[in-house]
Amino acid sequence: MLFRRRIKATWADRLREFFWPRKGLTRPARYLAKRILRLSASPHAVAAGVAAGIFSAFTPLIGFHVLLALALAYLMAGNLLAAALATTIANPLTIPFIALATFRLGEVLLGISTAEAVTASELFHRLEHLELSELWQPVLKPMLAGAGILGVSAAFLAYVATRFVVRSFRARRHARLLERATIAASTPVLSRGDTSL
């Protein structure tokens, strides 16, 4: 096999790498950020795509985040790939926090007070086992209301930050290319018959 390890990993090494990869936990996030920065669309299109993806990640429509992000990015003339990549903010590590935050904010916005404190596991248990008609009032309505506020806020911040970062990234890259071009233009080109050196 082409990319096989020279020394076979032990069971303990595999277990350790499952919880703490050799390249670190931030490598996938850095890869996604660089992938988004290198998209060839305009800064507005990239930023609008990221904003659409982040907004959809805050909605309780788990499993439909990418479809919602693509639809919103299309409506806002955003980049579809940036929208799909930005939905990865809702992953198994962050979804419990996002869901609980949107639920709590929705309860506050709608004036709903529950006697017991609902944890993230209880919230997902309700989402899994209740019918849609039973879910709407106690769970989905507060989550959608909270997702509206948190999602729009996060999407606005993501749009502004992404547009600024994409513009500065492209300006730096353009300056580097100009510098390389001037260096290449200033160095003399030797012909084959030139033996002066």
Side-chain angles (χ1 to χ4, degrees):
M1 189 174 239
L2 185 61
F3 296 109
R4 193 180 336 174
R5 295 172 66 130
R6 290 184 186 174
I7 300 169
K8 190 174 179 181
T10 64
W11 183 82
D13 290 337
R14 288 184 192 164
L15 184 65
R16 183 193 60 79
E17 285 183 18
F18 178 76
F19 290 107
W20 194 268
R22 284 186 296 170
K23 302 283 185 176
L25 293 173
T26 61
R27 185 174 190 227
R30 287 192 319 253
Y31 170 77
L32 283 175
K34 287 184 179 183
R35 182 71 182 100
I36 289 171
L37 284 175
R38 292 178 179 154
L39 289 172
S40 61
S42 69
H44 164 74
V46 174
V50 169
I54 287 182
F55 174 78
S56 70
F58 276 84
T59 63
L61 306 174
I62 298 170
F64 297 100
H65 287 162
V66 174
L67 294 176
L68 178 62
L70 293 176
L72 290 173
Y74 180 77
L75 292 174
M76 297 188 312
N79 187 279
L80 300 180
L81 183 58
L85 291 174
T87 60
T88 58
I89 195 170
N91 56 59
L93 295 175
T94 59
I95 281 181
F97 299 110
I98 291 172
L100 200 57
T102 57
F103 181 70
R104 290 285 182 224
L105 182 60
E107 282 184 330
V108 171
L109 289 173
L110 298 175
I112 300 170
S113 60
T114 54
E116 76 277 355
V118 178
T119 63
S121 61
E122 292 171 3
L123 189 62
F124 284 110
H125 180 74
R126 288 181 185 178
L127 286 171
E128 187 177 337
H129 294 292
L130 294 177
E131 296 291 327
L132 184 60
S133 60
E134 299 170 330
L135 274 176
W136 174 249
Q137 189 64 29
V139 178
L140 288 179
K141 192 174 177 183
M143 286 182 79
L144 284 172
I149 300 296
L150 286 178
V152 168
S153 303
F156 176 75
L157 292 174
Y159 178 85
V160 171
T162 304
R163 190 171 174 140
F164 173 76
V165 169
V166 168
R167 279 186 172 177
S168 62
F169 174 78
R170 289 182 181 175
R172 284 194 313 266
R173 185 169 62 176
H174 185 67
R176 279 195 311 263
L177 290 175
L178 282 177
E179 183 181 334
R180 287 180 191 167
T182 54
I183 290 172
S186 65
T187 57
V189 178
L190 299 176
S191 62
R192 290 187 178 188
D194 192 2
T195 57
S196 59
L197 292 177

